[in-house]
Every structure is written in structure tokens, then in C-alpha cells.
């Protein structure tokens, strides 16, 4: 969660810090703050709420400085108040910002209070500043003080420190939370996400686990977890500054929904040009895939629902046993060790703390074969995996994930057919059919996007509801789960999702005229079964909203509202059927007047457990 920006330059860095925070606000928006060194002292500004409030306060106070740090917060320890907002300041003006959670903060707080340090917040972060200062007073070297202090920290962190006594220096460190450097010409930067630095540089250095970076005007040095000086590769970011702009759209979520045909096209480009070959996933993929007998998928939230769809695909097409696990549960339960299992992690950011921890747990159990489906090439999960396929979704800023989900499905389908081909369980004709289905997918999705006006009308009927029920069967049940999650996330309407066949085993008791029931009704082998389930709803006075394929012969009638998608797209139907649910959630949130891109209590990249 949370966002960090820092800068060392010969110009005023306040505009750089504020612009960076605006681009990171999707990571946390409870409070924001910045601190700069000017005239031998630290000037700090903090504000509850959005970055816009902080910017107004900074302008009013005419804050300027050539070295600074800034932070936008998603509250963990301590309420979202100004006193808990970062940066926190210790003695001699030592200022710190922090992402993550310090697990031993209570013990450290007691120790530091006994040593004479005063605490003014409820956060775990404040111990970091005091601890760094305690080490600094012994030798007056900020870089060394940070390296010594982090040896005492337990938990996850990305931290940045500045100190007026060393006015052209910024020191940062990371363990468990992302942090990267931006390389300029006689100016250097740090941030928790590349998007924050795109206006000033596209040259990025991704810090490794345990790294400490010491930054000044002319350059930087990096010490690794063992304290040795190391070099980290400079990467040229493929993102452009414009990707973080809204353009003609009202919200980033709307923009990202509309970008899905392009994002899927980019994701499957290599598959379409090369076919279903193991090299799509890494140089050693052929050897790894040849020696597996099952698949375990680890993910959280929306990515977990993508994994549930993939479970259907992998077992049906590749004929491999497959399980999909909630990452936060997997690492804390006893599991059966099978070294021939392929561990597949799915994450938009590649920094999801629970998924990364689950991957490390699996590896500690002897599962050496791992593959990540991810949107960020240099992320922690990608680096920790032996194989990877990038989703090419581009920057996703809306907290409610949309294009990340559908590109994950496209990547997982490529994986499924590749595994099936290597196992010899599909014919060349079937492989060609699957490739053609992938090729049609972006165009079909554009057709679905054209249904937006009809879904906006549905949303008008949802805006005054307090509950909703989503139904699906087979591989469309996870799509019902995803639709339910989207409605909850951004409209705050309580929503449940069930396999349609389970309706009569309890959920039917909830159905009445005030609880809309949304059904995903593709023209597949389960359609007639689904129609029978929906009759149960109708018989009890429920209002039905049916997403049907064009060839499924569903008829609208009083109490039954129907929107028709393209003709049934077979095994890839889930990728299309989720789009109307995204649009329904979006337009319902518009009707209710909620903050679509920044829903309450949530943030984009969940880097804490």
C-alpha cells in the first residue's frame, strides 16, 4: 500500500514530489505529506485526505527545497489523521517515510522511549526515524546509520530518510516492499512505483531485497543485504507519461475497461506470432513443463478469480490436476509436498505481499518449478519465479482491477494450451482452433464494450439497491465472483456470488423483489440447467438480469432483463462475459456518486499482509 517519492536535484523538488504523489495516489489516499531540506532545516507539510489538499497547503506555505521526500498513506497502524501522516521527524530534523509494517515496533518503541525519544504518532513508522537517528549520532553518517538501523527491523519496509546535517543526500532501503531509483542528469529520484517518476526520467534501477541506496546529485551507491557495494542494472521503462493521464475518460476505471481490446492484443501478440510454444514463458520452460504432473495457482482477490477460471481450463484442456489457492491461506496451512507441481503465481503488481509470501513458502517446501503471470517485469514475484509471462496490460491505476484481470486470463489460456500441446493431448487442428479463438478475442471484446449504454440503463435500477446476487455455472462461476467483487468495491452494494446450482441450497432465501439477481448465461452445455435455476428466482418474485450470448434464445419479459453478447465464444467466453459486469459496477457507482477510482478503505497494490 502507500506511495513514496523522493528527489535530490539542483531545482525545487516540491513540484516533482507532488506530481509523483498524484500518480501514486491509487496506492493510498488517507493522508499525504512531504518534507524538504531548505536553509539548513526541514520544512514539513502534512494533510488528511487527498494529494490535492497537500498541494494547496504547500503552495500556501511556499515550501521549496532541493532535497525532499513525500508519501501518500493507506492507514495500517494509527487512524488517518495529520499526526499519523508521513513524513515523521526525529531529532536533528531526521525525516522518514515508510511503506510496509514493522512487526517489532512495540518493543522498539519502548526501548527508544527509555533512551529519551519522544513519540508523537500512533504509527509503527516513527520507530524507524528514531532508530536511524540513534545510530547516526555515533558516527554522523546517514547511509551507515540506515544500514545499521534496518538490522533491528522485523517485517516489511521501503523507507527513505533525509537529514539537514547532510543536505544533499537521501538514503533509502527496501525489504518486502517495492522501491526503485530514477536516474537523471545531476539529479536522482526514488519511488515505490515507476509511474511516479515518468515525468522526470525513464531510466530506472530496481532495488533488490535488502538493498540500501545512498543518493546524491551526481550519483548513487547501493549496498546489498550483506553490506557489500553492488551494481544494479539501469532499465529503460517502456511506460510513457501519458499512460497515467485520463484523456477523454471520466475515470481511470472507465479508461482501463476501454483499453482491454488493446491490452489483450498486446498480451497475446507473441502467442499469435509464434504459436503455443514453451519459450513464451522462459528459456527453460520446455524442460520445466516436461517434468510436471500438476499445477497449483496462488493469488489474491481478482487474480485469484482468474486462477479459478484457469483451473477449469487446465484440467479440461491440458488434463492436468490443478488447484487454485488463496495465497494468504495457503502459506498458513499444511499442504502436501509435490516437487513436480508447477507453482503459478498471478499478480497485477508483482508485489502482492501475500502472494509473494505464499510463493516463498512453496519454494521452501521444495517446489522449485514456479511461473508468474504478472504485469510488471522487474517486480519481486517475477524475480522470485523461474519462469514468467508478462500480461502487457500497461499501467492500471483504478483500484478496481479490470484490464489486469482479462489479460491474466489471456496469458493463462496461452499457458493452458501450451501445456496441453507439450503433453500431446490436443490435436494440431484443435491447437489451430484455439489460436484462432485468441485472434478473435480483441474484436469480440470491442463488440461487448459497445453494450455500455444498455448496462448504464441497468445501473439506474441498481443504484437504490442494498444487495445483489450473481450466478454462474462452470467456468463462469468465477466470473460471477469477479462481478460481485467489482460491485462491492466501487458501489458499496453488498453482493454475493454462487454457482447457480447452489441457489436452492440456501441463497434462494435471500431472493425478493428488492434483490436483483445477475445471471451469466452463455450458450454452453449448462445453459438449460441454468435456465431451470433462474426459474426458481422468477417464481419467488426476484428480478433477473441476464447476460446471454446472442444465440442462447433467452427472451426478455416482465421481471427478466436480457442483454445479448456476441455468439458464444466457447472456451474463451469468460473473458468476454466479465466486461459487462465491469461496466455495470462502474455505472452503478456513477449513479451512487461514489469515488470510482479510489473506493473507501482500499488501495491498489497490497504490499502488506
Amino acid at each position: 500500500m502507500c506511495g513514496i517519492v523522493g528527489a535530490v536535484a539542483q531545482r525545487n523538488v516540491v513540484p516533482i514530489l507532488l506530481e509523483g504523489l498524484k500518480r501514486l495516489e491509487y496506492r493510498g489516499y488517507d493522508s499525504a505529506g512531504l518534507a524538504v531540506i531548505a536553509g539548513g532545516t526541514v520544512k514539513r507539510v502534512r494533510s488528511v485526505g487527498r494529494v490535492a489538499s497537500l498541494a494547496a497547503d504547500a503552495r500556501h506555505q511556499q515550501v521549496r527545497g532541493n532535497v525532499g521526500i513525500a508519501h501518500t498513506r493507506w492507514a495500517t497502524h494509527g487512524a488517518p489523521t495529520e499526526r499519523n501522516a508521513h513524513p515523521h521527524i526525529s531529532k536533528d530534523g531526521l525525516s522518514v517515510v515508510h511503506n510496509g509494517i514493522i512487526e517489532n515496533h512495540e518493543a522498539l518503541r519502548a526501548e527508544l522511549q527509555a533512551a529519551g525519544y519522544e513519540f508523537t504518532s500512533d504509527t509503527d513508522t516513527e520507530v524507524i526515524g528514531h532508530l536511524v537517528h540513534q545510530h547516526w549520532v555515533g558516527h554522523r553518517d546517514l547511509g551507515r546509520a540506515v544500514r545499521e538501523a534496518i538490522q533491528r527491523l522485523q517485517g516489511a519496509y521501503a523507507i527513505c530518510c533525509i537529514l539537514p546535517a547532510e543536505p544533499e543526500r537521501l538514503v533509502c532501503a527496501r525489504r518486502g516492499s517495492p522501491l526503485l531509483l530514477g536516474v537523471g542528469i545531476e539529479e536522482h529520484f526514488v519511488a515505490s512505483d515507476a509511474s511516479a517518476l515518468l515525468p522526470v526520467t525513464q531510466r530506472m534501477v530496481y532495488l533488490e531485497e535488502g538493498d540500501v541506496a545512498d543518493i546524491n546529485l551526481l550519483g548513487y551507491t547501493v549496498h546489498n543485504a550483506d553490506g557489500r557495494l553492488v551494481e544494479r542494472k539501469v532499465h529503460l521503462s517502456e511506460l510513457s507519461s501519458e499512460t497515467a493521464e485520463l484523456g477523454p475518460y471520466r475515470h481511470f476505471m472507465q479508461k482501463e475497461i476501454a483499453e482491454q481490446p488493446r491490452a489483450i492484443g498486446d498480451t497475446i501478440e507473441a502467442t499469435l506470432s509464434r504459436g503455443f510454444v514453451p519459450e513464451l514463458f522462459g528459456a527453460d520452460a520446455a524442460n520445466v513443463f516436461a517434468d510436471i504432473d500438476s499445477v497449483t495457482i496462488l493469488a489474491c482477490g481478482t487474480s485469484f478469480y482468474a486462477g479459478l477460471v484457469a483451473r477449469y481450463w487446465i484440467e479440461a484442456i491440458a488434463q492436468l490436476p490443478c488447484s487454485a489457492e488463496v495465497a494468504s491461506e495457503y502459506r498458513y496451512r499444511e499442504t502436501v509436498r509435490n516437487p513436480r507441481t508447477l507453482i503459478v503465481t498471478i499478480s497485477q503488481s508483482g508485489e502482492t505481499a501475500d502472494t509473494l509470501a505464499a510463493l516463498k513458502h512453496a519454494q521452501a517446501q521444495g517446489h522449485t518449478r514456479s511461473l508468474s503471470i504478472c504485469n510488471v517485469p522487474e517486480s519481486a514475484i517475477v524475480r522470485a519465479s523461474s519462469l514468467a509471462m508478462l500480461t502487457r496490460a500497461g499501467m492500471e491505476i483504478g483500484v478496481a482491477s479490470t484490464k489486469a484481470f482479462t489479460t491474466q486470463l489471456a496469458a493463462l489460456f496461452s499457458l493452458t494450451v501450451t501445456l496441453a500441446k507439450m503433453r500431446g493431448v490436443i490435436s494440431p487442428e484443435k491447437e489451430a482452433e484455439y489460436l484462432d479463438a485468441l485472434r478473435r478475442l480483441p474484436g469480440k471484446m470491442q463488440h461487448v464494450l459497445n453494450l455500455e449504454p444498455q448496462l448504464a440503463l441497468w445501473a439506474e435500477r441498481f443504484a437504490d439497491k442494498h444487495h445483489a446476487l450473481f450466478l454462474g455455472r462452470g467456468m463462469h462461476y468465477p466470473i460471477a465472483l469477479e462481478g460481485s467483487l467489482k460491485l462491492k468495491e466501487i458501489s458499496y452494494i453488498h453482493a454475493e456470488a454462487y454457482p447457480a446450482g447452489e441457489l436452492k441450497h440456501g441463497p434462494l432465501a435471500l431472493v425478493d423483489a428488492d434483490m436483483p439477481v445477475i445471471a451469466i448465461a452463455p450458450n454452453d452445455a449448462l445453459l438449460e440447467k441454468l435456465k431451470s435455476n433462474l426459474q426458481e428466482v422468477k417464481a419467488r418474485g426476484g428480478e433477473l438480469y441476464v447476460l446471454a450470448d446472442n444465440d442462447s434464445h433467452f427472451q426478455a419479459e416482465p421481471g427478466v432483463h436480457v442483454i445479448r453478447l456476441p455468439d458464444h465464444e466457447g472456451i474463451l467466453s469468460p473473458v468476454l462475459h466479465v466486461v459487462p459486469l465491469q461496466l455495470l459496477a462502474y455505472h452503478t457507482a456513477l449513479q451512487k456518486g461514489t469515488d470510482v477510482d479510489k473506493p473507501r478503505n482500499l488501495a491498489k497494490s497490497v504490499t502488506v499482509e
Side-chain angles (χ1 to χ4, degrees), residues 416-443:
T416 298
V417 183
T418 301
L419 291 173
K421 180 181 177 182
M422 287 199 64
R423 290 170 54 79
V425 295
I426 60 169
S427 65
E429 293 76 19
K430 197 67 177 175
E431 179 189 354
E433 180 184 319
Y434 288 143
L435 197 64
D436 190 53
L438 265 185
R439 186 175 289 108
R440 293 194 304 268
L441 198 56

PDB file of all heavy atoms in Angstrom, residues 416-443:
ATOM      1  N   THR A 416      -2.278 -22.712 -20.695  1.00  0.00           N
ATOM      2  CA  THR A 416      -3.069 -23.947 -20.734  1.00  0.00           C
ATOM      3  C   THR A 416      -2.838 -24.720 -22.026  1.00  0.00           C
ATOM      4  O   THR A 416      -2.559 -25.940 -22.006  1.00  0.00           O
ATOM      5  CB  THR A 416      -4.563 -23.617 -20.600  1.00  0.00           C
ATOM      6  OG1 THR A 416      -4.794 -23.001 -19.339  1.00  0.00           O
ATOM      7  CG2 THR A 416      -5.415 -24.867 -20.712  1.00  0.00           C
ATOM      8  N   VAL A 417      -2.959 -24.043 -23.149  1.00  0.00           N
ATOM      9  CA  VAL A 417      -2.829 -24.736 -24.435  1.00  0.00           C
ATOM     10  C   VAL A 417      -1.386 -25.180 -24.669  1.00  0.00           C
ATOM     11  O   VAL A 417      -1.142 -26.247 -25.247  1.00  0.00           O
ATOM     12  CB  VAL A 417      -3.336 -23.847 -25.583  1.00  0.00           C
ATOM     13  CG1 VAL A 417      -3.259 -24.590 -26.911  1.00  0.00           C
ATOM     14  CG2 VAL A 417      -4.788 -23.413 -25.328  1.00  0.00           C
ATOM     15  N   THR A 418      -0.429 -24.395 -24.192  1.00  0.00           N
ATOM     16  CA  THR A 418       0.972 -24.804 -24.309  1.00  0.00           C
ATOM     17  C   THR A 418       1.221 -26.093 -23.535  1.00  0.00           C
ATOM     18  O   THR A 418       1.883 -27.019 -24.032  1.00  0.00           O
ATOM     19  CB  THR A 418       1.899 -23.689 -23.804  1.00  0.00           C
ATOM     20  OG1 THR A 418       1.682 -22.507 -24.569  1.00  0.00           O
ATOM     21  CG2 THR A 418       3.360 -24.104 -23.924  1.00  0.00           C
ATOM     22  N   LEU A 419       0.697 -26.178 -22.319  1.00  0.00           N
ATOM     23  CA  LEU A 419       0.838 -27.409 -21.531  1.00  0.00           C
ATOM     24  C   LEU A 419       0.163 -28.587 -22.227  1.00  0.00           C
ATOM     25  O   LEU A 419       0.703 -29.699 -22.272  1.00  0.00           O
ATOM     26  CB  LEU A 419       0.247 -27.209 -20.134  1.00  0.00           C
ATOM     27  CG  LEU A 419       0.995 -26.254 -19.200  1.00  0.00           C
ATOM     28  CD1 LEU A 419       0.188 -26.033 -17.916  1.00  0.00           C
ATOM     29  CD2 LEU A 419       2.379 -26.792 -18.863  1.00  0.00           C
ATOM     30  N   ALA A 420      -1.032 -28.340 -22.774  1.00  0.00           N
ATOM     31  CA  ALA A 420      -1.750 -29.413 -23.466  1.00  0.00           C
ATOM     32  C   ALA A 420      -0.973 -29.898 -24.686  1.00  0.00           C
ATOM     33  O   ALA A 420      -0.881 -31.108 -24.949  1.00  0.00           O
ATOM     34  CB  ALA A 420      -3.134 -28.915 -23.882  1.00  0.00           C
ATOM     35  N   LYS A 421      -0.399 -28.961 -25.421  1.00  0.00           N
ATOM     36  CA  LYS A 421       0.379 -29.317 -26.614  1.00  0.00           C
ATOM     37  C   LYS A 421       1.605 -30.142 -26.230  1.00  0.00           C
ATOM     38  O   LYS A 421       1.912 -31.159 -26.872  1.00  0.00           O
ATOM     39  CB  LYS A 421       0.787 -28.044 -27.343  1.00  0.00           C
ATOM     40  CG  LYS A 421       1.600 -28.274 -28.606  1.00  0.00           C
ATOM     41  CD  LYS A 421       1.966 -26.948 -29.248  1.00  0.00           C
ATOM     42  CE  LYS A 421       2.849 -27.145 -30.483  1.00  0.00           C
ATOM     43  NZ  LYS A 421       3.233 -25.829 -31.072  1.00  0.00           N
ATOM     44  N   MET A 422       2.305 -29.734 -25.188  1.00  0.00           N
ATOM     45  CA  MET A 422       3.501 -30.466 -24.767  1.00  0.00           C
ATOM     46  C   MET A 422       3.161 -31.868 -24.269  1.00  0.00           C
ATOM     47  O   MET A 422       3.956 -32.795 -24.398  1.00  0.00           O
ATOM     48  CB  MET A 422       4.236 -29.688 -23.687  1.00  0.00           C
ATOM     49  CG  MET A 422       4.960 -28.449 -24.190  1.00  0.00           C
ATOM     50  SD  MET A 422       6.210 -27.896 -23.024  1.00  0.00           S
ATOM     51  CE  MET A 422       7.351 -29.288 -23.042  1.00  0.00           C
ATOM     52  N   ARG A 423       1.979 -32.016 -23.703  1.00  0.00           N
ATOM     53  CA  ARG A 423       1.563 -33.321 -23.186  1.00  0.00           C
ATOM     54  C   ARG A 423       0.953 -34.202 -24.269  1.00  0.00           C
ATOM     55  O   ARG A 423       0.619 -35.364 -24.030  1.00  0.00           O
ATOM     56  CB  ARG A 423       0.554 -33.125 -22.050  1.00  0.00           C
ATOM     57  CG  ARG A 423       1.173 -32.540 -20.798  1.00  0.00           C
ATOM     58  CD  ARG A 423       0.134 -32.115 -19.774  1.00  0.00           C
ATOM     59  NE  ARG A 423      -0.788 -33.199 -19.436  1.00  0.00           N
ATOM     60  CZ  ARG A 423      -0.528 -34.193 -18.612  1.00  0.00           C
ATOM     61  NH1 ARG A 423       0.666 -34.259 -18.043  1.00  0.00           N
ATOM     62  NH2 ARG A 423      -1.429 -35.114 -18.355  1.00  0.00           N
ATOM     63  N   GLY A 424       0.772 -33.634 -25.465  1.00  0.00           N
ATOM     64  CA  GLY A 424       0.233 -34.411 -26.575  1.00  0.00           C
ATOM     65  C   GLY A 424      -1.220 -34.758 -26.442  1.00  0.00           C
ATOM     66  O   GLY A 424      -1.669 -35.774 -26.982  1.00  0.00           O
ATOM     67  N   VAL A 425      -2.001 -33.907 -25.743  1.00  0.00           N
ATOM     68  CA  VAL A 425      -3.403 -34.239 -25.502  1.00  0.00           C
ATOM     69  C   VAL A 425      -4.350 -33.423 -26.376  1.00  0.00           C
ATOM     70  O   VAL A 425      -5.573 -33.512 -26.214  1.00  0.00           O
ATOM     71  CB  VAL A 425      -3.771 -34.071 -24.009  1.00  0.00           C
ATOM     72  CG1 VAL A 425      -2.999 -35.063 -23.157  1.00  0.00           C
ATOM     73  CG2 VAL A 425      -3.519 -32.640 -23.534  1.00  0.00           C
ATOM     74  N   ILE A 426      -3.805 -32.574 -27.270  1.00  0.00           N
ATOM     75  CA  ILE A 426      -4.655 -31.890 -28.247  1.00  0.00           C
ATOM     76  C   ILE A 426      -4.079 -32.105 -29.639  1.00  0.00           C
ATOM     77  O   ILE A 426      -2.872 -32.258 -29.819  1.00  0.00           O
ATOM     78  CB  ILE A 426      -4.797 -30.377 -27.959  1.00  0.00           C
ATOM     79  CG1 ILE A 426      -3.433 -29.687 -27.991  1.00  0.00           C
ATOM     80  CG2 ILE A 426      -5.515 -30.121 -26.652  1.00  0.00           C
ATOM     81  CD1 ILE A 426      -3.535 -28.175 -27.969  1.00  0.00           C
ATOM     82  N   SER A 427      -4.956 -32.111 -30.599  1.00  0.00           N
ATOM     83  CA  SER A 427      -4.548 -32.312 -31.991  1.00  0.00           C
ATOM     84  C   SER A 427      -4.079 -30.988 -32.589  1.00  0.00           C
ATOM     85  O   SER A 427      -4.414 -29.907 -32.077  1.00  0.00           O
ATOM     86  CB  SER A 427      -5.725 -32.839 -32.810  1.00  0.00           C
ATOM     87  OG  SER A 427      -6.754 -31.846 -32.862  1.00  0.00           O
ATOM     88  N   PRO A 428      -3.331 -31.020 -33.691  1.00  0.00           N
ATOM     89  CA  PRO A 428      -2.952 -29.777 -34.375  1.00  0.00           C
ATOM     90  C   PRO A 428      -4.174 -28.964 -34.801  1.00  0.00           C
ATOM     91  O   PRO A 428      -4.133 -27.729 -34.783  1.00  0.00           O
ATOM     92  CB  PRO A 428      -2.157 -30.276 -35.592  1.00  0.00           C
ATOM     93  CG  PRO A 428      -1.623 -31.611 -35.175  1.00  0.00           C
ATOM     94  CD  PRO A 428      -2.684 -32.204 -34.297  1.00  0.00           C
ATOM     95  N   GLU A 429      -5.260 -29.659 -35.164  1.00  0.00           N
ATOM     96  CA  GLU A 429      -6.479 -28.961 -35.566  1.00  0.00           C
ATOM     97  C   GLU A 429      -7.080 -28.186 -34.384  1.00  0.00           C
ATOM     98  O   GLU A 429      -7.533 -27.043 -34.538  1.00  0.00           O
ATOM     99  CB  GLU A 429      -7.506 -29.943 -36.116  1.00  0.00           C
ATOM    100  CG  GLU A 429      -7.116 -30.604 -37.437  1.00  0.00           C
ATOM    101  CD  GLU A 429      -6.074 -31.704 -37.265  1.00  0.00           C
ATOM    102  OE1 GLU A 429      -5.912 -32.201 -36.124  1.00  0.00           O
ATOM    103  OE2 GLU A 429      -5.416 -32.058 -38.269  1.00  0.00           O
ATOM    104  N   LYS A 430      -7.067 -28.824 -33.219  1.00  0.00           N
ATOM    105  CA  LYS A 430      -7.606 -28.157 -32.033  1.00  0.00           C
ATOM    106  C   LYS A 430      -6.721 -26.987 -31.630  1.00  0.00           C
ATOM    107  O   LYS A 430      -7.219 -25.914 -31.240  1.00  0.00           O
ATOM    108  CB  LYS A 430      -7.715 -29.156 -30.872  1.00  0.00           C
ATOM    109  CG  LYS A 430      -8.619 -28.680 -29.746  1.00  0.00           C
ATOM    110  CD  LYS A 430     -10.066 -28.611 -30.208  1.00  0.00           C
ATOM    111  CE  LYS A 430     -11.011 -28.199 -29.098  1.00  0.00           C
ATOM    112  NZ  LYS A 430     -12.400 -28.029 -29.574  1.00  0.00           N
ATOM    113  N   GLU A 431      -5.418 -27.147 -31.738  1.00  0.00           N
ATOM    114  CA  GLU A 431      -4.492 -26.060 -31.436  1.00  0.00           C
ATOM    115  C   GLU A 431      -4.763 -24.866 -32.344  1.00  0.00           C
ATOM    116  O   GLU A 431      -4.803 -23.713 -31.890  1.00  0.00           O
ATOM    117  CB  GLU A 431      -3.050 -26.539 -31.605  1.00  0.00           C
ATOM    118  CG  GLU A 431      -2.031 -25.463 -31.331  1.00  0.00           C
ATOM    119  CD  GLU A 431      -0.619 -25.891 -31.718  1.00  0.00           C
ATOM    120  OE1 GLU A 431      -0.423 -27.074 -32.088  1.00  0.00           O
ATOM    121  OE2 GLU A 431       0.276 -25.030 -31.670  1.00  0.00           O
ATOM    122  N   ALA A 432      -4.968 -25.133 -33.623  1.00  0.00           N
ATOM    123  CA  ALA A 432      -5.255 -24.052 -34.571  1.00  0.00           C
ATOM    124  C   ALA A 432      -6.580 -23.365 -34.225  1.00  0.00           C
ATOM    125  O   ALA A 432      -6.718 -22.142 -34.359  1.00  0.00           O
ATOM    126  CB  ALA A 432      -5.292 -24.602 -35.993  1.00  0.00           C
ATOM    127  N   GLU A 433      -7.542 -24.148 -33.767  1.00  0.00           N
ATOM    128  CA  GLU A 433      -8.839 -23.584 -33.376  1.00  0.00           C
ATOM    129  C   GLU A 433      -8.681 -22.650 -32.182  1.00  0.00           C
ATOM    130  O   GLU A 433      -9.271 -21.562 -32.153  1.00  0.00           O
ATOM    131  CB  GLU A 433      -9.789 -24.734 -33.022  1.00  0.00           C
ATOM    132  CG  GLU A 433     -11.170 -24.296 -32.595  1.00  0.00           C
ATOM    133  CD  GLU A 433     -12.023 -25.484 -32.178  1.00  0.00           C
ATOM    134  OE1 GLU A 433     -11.955 -26.541 -32.856  1.00  0.00           O
ATOM    135  OE2 GLU A 433     -12.743 -25.362 -31.163  1.00  0.00           O
ATOM    136  N   TYR A 434      -7.871 -23.063 -31.202  1.00  0.00           N
ATOM    137  CA  TYR A 434      -7.645 -22.219 -30.035  1.00  0.00           C
ATOM    138  C   TYR A 434      -6.902 -20.937 -30.420  1.00  0.00           C
ATOM    139  O   TYR A 434      -7.194 -19.849 -29.899  1.00  0.00           O
ATOM    140  CB  TYR A 434      -6.845 -22.976 -28.979  1.00  0.00           C
ATOM    141  CG  TYR A 434      -7.617 -24.057 -28.268  1.00  0.00           C
ATOM    142  CD1 TYR A 434      -7.002 -25.263 -27.910  1.00  0.00           C
ATOM    143  CD2 TYR A 434      -8.960 -23.892 -27.940  1.00  0.00           C
ATOM    144  CE1 TYR A 434      -7.695 -26.262 -27.252  1.00  0.00           C
ATOM    145  CE2 TYR A 434      -9.672 -24.888 -27.277  1.00  0.00           C
ATOM    146  CZ  TYR A 434      -9.032 -26.071 -26.939  1.00  0.00           C
ATOM    147  OH  TYR A 434      -9.727 -27.054 -26.289  1.00  0.00           O
ATOM    148  N   LEU A 435      -5.949 -21.048 -31.325  1.00  0.00           N
ATOM    149  CA  LEU A 435      -5.198 -19.877 -31.762  1.00  0.00           C
ATOM    150  C   LEU A 435      -6.120 -18.891 -32.475  1.00  0.00           C
ATOM    151  O   LEU A 435      -6.037 -17.670 -32.266  1.00  0.00           O
ATOM    152  CB  LEU A 435      -4.047 -20.305 -32.675  1.00  0.00           C
ATOM    153  CG  LEU A 435      -2.942 -19.264 -32.898  1.00  0.00           C
ATOM    154  CD1 LEU A 435      -2.224 -18.943 -31.594  1.00  0.00           C
ATOM    155  CD2 LEU A 435      -1.948 -19.775 -33.931  1.00  0.00           C
ATOM    156  N   ASP A 436      -7.014 -19.415 -33.272  1.00  0.00           N
ATOM    157  CA  ASP A 436      -7.963 -18.561 -33.981  1.00  0.00           C
ATOM    158  C   ASP A 436      -8.922 -17.887 -33.006  1.00  0.00           C
ATOM    159  O   ASP A 436      -9.287 -16.712 -33.176  1.00  0.00           O
ATOM    160  CB  ASP A 436      -8.737 -19.378 -35.007  1.00  0.00           C
ATOM    161  CG  ASP A 436      -9.567 -18.502 -35.934  1.00  0.00           C
ATOM    162  OD1 ASP A 436      -8.995 -17.566 -36.523  1.00  0.00           O
ATOM    163  OD2 ASP A 436     -10.782 -18.746 -36.048  1.00  0.00           O
ATOM    164  N   ALA A 437      -9.321 -18.614 -31.962  1.00  0.00           N
ATOM    165  CA  ALA A 437     -10.205 -18.031 -30.944  1.00  0.00           C
ATOM    166  C   ALA A 437      -9.509 -16.877 -30.225  1.00  0.00           C
ATOM    167  O   ALA A 437     -10.126 -15.830 -29.957  1.00  0.00           O
ATOM    168  CB  ALA A 437     -10.627 -19.103 -29.942  1.00  0.00           C
ATOM    169  N   LEU A 438      -8.229 -17.035 -29.927  1.00  0.00           N
ATOM    170  CA  LEU A 438      -7.466 -15.945 -29.317  1.00  0.00           C
ATOM    171  C   LEU A 438      -7.393 -14.742 -30.246  1.00  0.00           C
ATOM    172  O   LEU A 438      -7.528 -13.594 -29.816  1.00  0.00           O
ATOM    173  CB  LEU A 438      -6.040 -16.413 -28.999  1.00  0.00           C
ATOM    174  CG  LEU A 438      -5.721 -16.926 -27.600  1.00  0.00           C
ATOM    175  CD1 LEU A 438      -4.225 -17.204 -27.475  1.00  0.00           C
ATOM    176  CD2 LEU A 438      -6.162 -15.962 -26.512  1.00  0.00           C
ATOM    177  N   ARG A 439      -7.183 -15.012 -31.520  1.00  0.00           N
ATOM    178  CA  ARG A 439      -7.054 -13.935 -32.507  1.00  0.00           C
ATOM    179  C   ARG A 439      -8.342 -13.104 -32.584  1.00  0.00           C
ATOM    180  O   ARG A 439      -8.305 -11.898 -32.785  1.00  0.00           O
ATOM    181  CB  ARG A 439      -6.695 -14.533 -33.867  1.00  0.00           C
ATOM    182  CG  ARG A 439      -6.399 -13.493 -34.948  1.00  0.00           C
ATOM    183  CD  ARG A 439      -5.929 -14.151 -36.230  1.00  0.00           C
ATOM    184  NE  ARG A 439      -4.579 -14.706 -36.103  1.00  0.00           N
ATOM    185  CZ  ARG A 439      -4.297 -16.000 -36.048  1.00  0.00           C
ATOM    186  NH1 ARG A 439      -5.273 -16.902 -36.111  1.00  0.00           N
ATOM    187  NH2 ARG A 439      -3.059 -16.414 -35.924  1.00  0.00           N
ATOM    188  N   ARG A 440      -9.491 -13.751 -32.415  1.00  0.00           N
ATOM    189  CA  ARG A 440     -10.780 -13.053 -32.487  1.00  0.00           C
ATOM    190  C   ARG A 440     -11.103 -12.258 -31.226  1.00  0.00           C
ATOM    191  O   ARG A 440     -11.978 -11.397 -31.230  1.00  0.00           O
ATOM    192  CB  ARG A 440     -11.918 -14.057 -32.722  1.00  0.00           C
ATOM    193  CG  ARG A 440     -11.907 -14.758 -34.061  1.00  0.00           C
ATOM    194  CD  ARG A 440     -13.254 -15.439 -34.294  1.00  0.00           C
ATOM    195  NE  ARG A 440     -13.614 -16.357 -33.229  1.00  0.00           N
ATOM    196  CZ  ARG A 440     -13.331 -17.661 -33.216  1.00  0.00           C
ATOM    197  NH1 ARG A 440     -12.654 -18.191 -34.230  1.00  0.00           N
ATOM    198  NH2 ARG A 440     -13.710 -18.428 -32.210  1.00  0.00           N
ATOM    199  N   LEU A 441     -10.423 -12.560 -30.150  1.00  0.00           N
ATOM    200  CA  LEU A 441     -10.825 -12.058 -28.839  1.00  0.00           C
ATOM    201  C   LEU A 441     -10.862 -10.520 -28.737  1.00  0.00           C
ATOM    202  O   LEU A 441     -11.867  -9.970 -28.261  1.00  0.00           O
ATOM    203  CB  LEU A 441      -9.909 -12.648 -27.763  1.00  0.00           C
ATOM    204  CG  LEU A 441     -10.405 -12.597 -26.328  1.00  0.00           C
ATOM    205  CD1 LEU A 441     -11.764 -13.272 -26.179  1.00  0.00           C
ATOM    206  CD2 LEU A 441      -9.385 -13.266 -25.401  1.00  0.00           C
ATOM    207  N   PRO A 442      -9.829  -9.788 -29.164  1.00  0.00           N
ATOM    208  CA  PRO A 442      -9.909  -8.325 -29.029  1.00  0.00           C
ATOM    209  C   PRO A 442     -11.094  -7.717 -29.776  1.00  0.00           C
ATOM    210  O   PRO A 442     -11.774  -6.819 -29.250  1.00  0.00           O
ATOM    211  CB  PRO A 442      -8.574  -7.849 -29.617  1.00  0.00           C
ATOM    212  CG  PRO A 442      -7.647  -9.012 -29.445  1.00  0.00           C
ATOM    213  CD  PRO A 442      -8.498 -10.221 -29.656  1.00  0.00           C
ATOM    214  N   GLY A 443     -11.377  -8.192 -30.980  1.00  0.00           N
ATOM    215  CA  GLY A 443     -12.518  -7.676 -31.736  1.00  0.00           C
ATOM    216  C   GLY A 443     -13.834  -7.996 -31.071  1.00  0.00           C
ATOM    217  O   GLY A 443     -14.754  -7.160 -31.021  1.00  0.00           O
TER     218      GLY A 443
END
